[in-house]
Amino acid sequence: MSELVPGGNTPLPDGTLTFRVPGPFDVSALITDDSGKVRGDGDFVFYNQPAAPGVRLDGGRLTVDPPRLRTGASRVTVVVSPTDLTTPLGRLPSPTIQVTSADGRVLARFTPPRPERETVLLLAELYRRGTTWKLRALGQGYADGLAGVARDFGVDVTEDSAPSGVAAANTAPHGMRDGRPMRAPSPGPAFARGSAPGTRRPGADARGGSPGAPGGGPDPDGFLGPVNSARAAAGSPPVRLDPRLTAAARGHAAAMAARGTLASEGPDGVSVYQRVIAAGYPYLTIGEHLVSGPRTPHEFVEYCLSAEPSRRTLCDPAFDQAGLARVPDARTGDLYWTALWARPFSPAGLDRTTLEVIALTNTERASAGLPPLAADATLTAAAQAHSADMVARDFYAHTSPEGSRPWDRAAAAGSAHRAIGENIACGQRSPAEVVRGWMDSPGHRANILKRDFTHIGIGLAGGGRAGTYWTQLFGG
């Protein structure tokens, strides 16, 4: 089995090949000749068009039978994007592609460097050299989604209109299939990110809280009026401004304006979540909108309500505090907005969140006919320490920089369990989201449903490069 590095290649045997990318990712494929261009929409395989001659997509499994490719085809490029289109790749673990032969042998594996601002990756390329087929590891990223990939490969792209005053969003390739319109997965607006985390906490009034109330702050731009009006219409409690969140939002908006680019990480390499922690605001859950185009708070809120993912973030009842800033690009005058929505950290909130993760995990075990896992204080301590360590030292791995592994950390915390397993995740914003992500990944699912495990500990820490870092530590 070959472990490939970017640019590396390996020969492949005859017969059908299977490509898998475990985790919260969608897989697509582009079929081209030596020019690198498709002949038409039929050369683009994705979930709405799951088959082409010699190529088939079945769930997360892509199979390629090279002799059956259309005439002239000499390359198949494997493309990966987040399953949840509101989650940039930088918030997820690096996708790993595994290639197996017709008899089930693992032929090659490749994990690219962790993406940053990219929303789509060209992960690998199957290509012909003479009569031999080979695999090349790529890891090339696109910040403008599937539309950017499609343009480079010769697929016609049209763009949807955006609300007045808002920068146009990237859209996905359009075409016709059997005389009917079809559409590839849309990457969504590159400038609107957010999801629906957490559980509810009571909020303050729409004026930003009473004088001297913790987290209260002035609202000179009249931001809270349209925000809390929209939240009230959705049945959510009002938010109040927090000066620390506003300071972090201002710093991030200024970084985006200086570069002239919407991104979750500034040119200084600092992510929006790291700015929040640096401003002195520890959070339990957080969401954000990064937007360019609106001129007033009312236009900003109107934009946030125009698409379901961004509307959910604006109106999520989990949030009770917010920060907002808008900074102009000195060259163009365009306004760059950062809005942060959060619920502050509290020990009681941490306990509620970890108990919810355990409850959801045990629901999955019950569905599989397995007994529940019991909360374990030593496993909890080790899991919480690992999440905090990943945030503090900016790494994401089961093995720490000095080499300690899950069983080492469990033993150091005082655990006597003989069998230890660990799941980690980053970027998810609620217990439901993180457990669903683990269940959608075969390796993580196996840990959750392992009969030998009897106890569990949960840890989470916010403020890392990818947001919140989660650890699930099992013992048996």
Side-chain angles (χ1 to χ4, degrees):
M1 195 267 292
S2 298
E3 287 279 1
L4 298 178
V5 298
N9 63 77
T10 186
L12 297 170
D14 294 336
T16 301
L17 303 164
T18 300
F19 299 80
R20 294 179 184 271
V21 184
F25 304 106
D26 280 337
V27 177
S28 310
L30 288 150
I31 303 157
T32 62
D33 55 23
D34 287 336
S35 72
K37 301 295 183 182
V38 299
R39 282 188 178 177
D41 293 329
D43 283 345
F44 188 25
V45 175
F46 61 103
Y47 71 84
N48 274 346
Q49 183 171 276
V55 181
R56 175 168 291 278
L57 182 63
D58 182 9
R61 182 178 66 178
L62 181 76
T63 56
V64 181
D65 187 357
R68 297 186 58 221
L69 293 172
R70 65 154 174 86
T71 302
S74 58
R75 295 185 194 177
V76 178
T77 303
V78 182
V79 182
V80 68
S81 55
T83 300
D84 178 357
L85 298 175
T86 66
T87 304
L89 287 170
R91 293 190 192 145
L92 302 173
S94 288
T96 295
I97 188 168
Q98 182 169 286
V99 186
T100 57
S101 62
D103 61 4
R105 286 184 300 117
V106 178
L107 303 173
R109 188 163 48 218
F110 169 57
T111 303
R114 180 104 180 257
E116 295 181 1
R117 300 185 306 276
E118 294 86 347
T119 54
V120 171
L121 283 179
L122 306 185
L123 204 48
E125 176 186 65
L126 177 68
Y127 67 101
R128 185 174 59 205
R129 282 292 177 267
T131 60
T132 301
W133 286 87
K134 304 179 94 175
L135 180 75
R136 178 184 292 119
L138 298 177
Q140 176 186 348
Y142 283 74
D144 52 350
L146 287 169
V149 176
R151 289 188 184 98
D152 280 2
F153 281 77
V155 179
D156 289 335
V157 177
T158 61
E159 293 191 349
D160 295 332
S161 59
S164 175
V166 179
N170 294 319
T171 61
H174 287 64
M176 298 292 291
R177 181 184 180 197
D178 299 330
R180 301 187 300 275
M182 64 128 185
R183 183 170 180 172
S186 168
F191 42 72
R193 303 185 179 96
S195 61
T199 54
R200 179 171 177 165
R201 251 189 80 170
D205 63 46
R207 296 184 299 277
S210 59
D219 184 22
D221 294 323
F223 174 61
L224 288 179
V227 165
N228 284 330
S229 176
R231 289 176 63 85
S236 297
V239 293
R240 57 186 178 181
L241 292 178
D242 182 279
R244 297 163 296 175
L245 288 174
T246 297
R250 185 178 300 111
H252 195 73
M256 293 192 300
R259 179 185 276 185
T261 302
L262 290 152
S264 61
E265 192 170 296
D268 53 3
V270 179
S271 79
V272 65
Y273 315 108
Q274 291 170 317
R275 294 184 200 280
V276 171
I277 295 298
Y281 187 100
Y283 62 82
L284 191 61
T285 187
I286 195 165
E288 78 280 352
H289 285 99
L290 310 177
V291 180
S292 173
R295 306 300 301 178
T296 68
H298 281 277
E299 287 184 7
F300 172 83
V301 171
E302 180 184 357
Y303 167 72
C304 292
L305 293 173
S306 68
E308 182 58 23
S310 59
R311 188 199 69 79
R312 285 199 305 268
T313 298
L314 178 72
C315 298
D316 196 293
F319 303 130
D320 61 7
Q321 295 182 348
L324 172 80
R326 52 183 175 179
V327 175
D329 183 332
R331 297 154 297 188
T332 65
D334 292 339
L335 288 178
Y336 284 80
W337 298 70
T338 298
L340 298 170
W341 319 90
R343 181 156 53 106
F345 174 86
S346 69
L350 177 64
D351 290 344
R352 285 194 301 271
T353 303
T354 58
L355 288 174
E356 188 173 350
V357 174
I358 294 173
L360 290 168
T361 299
N362 282 333
T363 296
E364 298 292 348
R365 287 177 63 88
S367 297
L370 297 171
L373 301 172
D376 183 287
T378 57
L379 294 177
T380 297
Q384 184 60 42
H386 188 55
S387 287
D389 191 31
M390 288 191 289
V391 168
R393 293 200 280 175
D394 193 19
F395 74 97
Y396 178 75
H398 293 288
T399 303
S400 69
E402 70 276 1
S404 76
R405 293 169 294 181
W407 41 91
D408 300 320
R409 295 188 291 270
S415 174
H417 293 292
R418 299 180 64 182
I420 296 292
E422 183 179 79
N423 288 342
I424 59 175
C426 62
Q428 296 83 2
R429 294 172 175 165
S430 71
E433 186 181 349
V434 73
V435 172
R436 175 47 47 203
W438 281 326
M439 288 299 294
D440 286 342
S441 169
H444 298 94
R445 178 187 178 93
N447 272 341
I448 289 174
L449 302 182
K450 188 170 182 177
R451 186 175 294 275
D452 293 344
F453 290 145
T454 56
H455 291 75
I456 190 173
I458 306 295
L460 65 141
R465 187 177 303 277
T468 299
Y469 286 63
W470 305 76
T471 301
Q472 215 179 21
L473 194 59
F474 304 89

